[in-house]
Amino acid sequence: MKILILNGPNLNLLGKREPEVYGNLSFETFFTTLHKKYSKIELEYFQSNIEGEIINKLHEVGFSFDGIILNAGAYTHTSIAIGDAIKGIETPVIEVHISNVHAREDFRHISYIAPNAKGVIAGFGLKSYELAIESFI
Ligand code: DQA
């Protein structure tokens, strides 16, 4: 089983960025533990701060991988183009968020990903990614 974790803008700063909201762990450190825990799954990771690169990655893996776990960061709330990309591929996408976006500012309640996603997981910290993996197993 091949799964891609795709992180969007500012998620390269995890561990340093607003730790009271997003925690103290870098994604690279977390990904190492995920890799060990799910050693039978071919788990790949890609992060970009650039909307077009996220779309290119969705196109690249979206006809061959079994699942995509997407945290599009703030693009979740703005990007019709990422929403369209998800609509255009075959691989199911799960939208994840570290924080509970529904308990935060109103602009974070809008998602252009959710209508085209298989499901949405938000608010469980980095555990949100694990729950998404479990849902694919
Ligand atoms: C986030 C929530 C978004 O609203 C925010 O812009 C992020 C991170 C989360 O994982 O909680 O960058 O996607």
Side-chain angles (χ1 to χ4, degrees):
M1 178 179 277
K2 271 185 145 180
I3 293 178
L4 173 72
I5 295 180
L6 181 49
N7 272 347
N10 300 308
L11 291 162
N12 54 310
L13 293 182
L14 277 183
K16 297 184 189 131
R17 169 198 188 201
E18 300 176 76
E20 67 288 356
V21 180
Y22 300 114
N24 296 303
L25 208 59
S26 73
F27 199 84
E28 285 70 18
T29 306
F30 174 65
F31 189 66
T32 308
T33 60
L34 268 190
H35 233 309
K36 283 188 192 139
K37 184 166 178 186
Y38 297 100
S39 56
K40 292 203 178 93
I41 296 173
E42 283 182 67
L43 214 48
E44 287 189 20
Y45 171 56
F46 182 77
Q47 188 276 332
S48 178
N49 295 318
I50 300 165
E51 189 175 15
E53 286 186 0
I54 295 166
I55 293 166
N56 285 345
K57 198 68 183 177
L58 287 166
H59 293 177
E60 186 188 315
V61 308
F63 296 89
S64 56
F65 276 46
D66 301 295
I68 298 169
I69 296 167
L70 173 62
N71 185 347
Y75 285 145
T76 306
H77 320 302
T78 62
S79 181
I80 295 167
I82 294 177
D84 279 354
I86 295 166
K87 212 183 257 179
I89 62 174
E90 286 171 2
T91 302
V93 173
I94 295 188
E95 173 183 342
V96 305
H97 298 285
I98 297 164
S99 63
N100 178 0
V101 284
H102 298 287
R104 300 179 66 191
E105 303 95 320
D106 284 354
F107 66 84
R108 293 186 207 276
H109 302 175
I110 294 161
S111 172
Y112 287 98
I113 311 296
N116 305 311
K118 191 179 175 204
V120 180
I121 299 169
F124 296 94
L126 289 170
K127 184 104 186 151
S128 294
Y129 292 90
E130 280 191 53
L131 294 170
I133 293 172
E134 292 289 340
S135 79
F136 280 123
I137 294 173

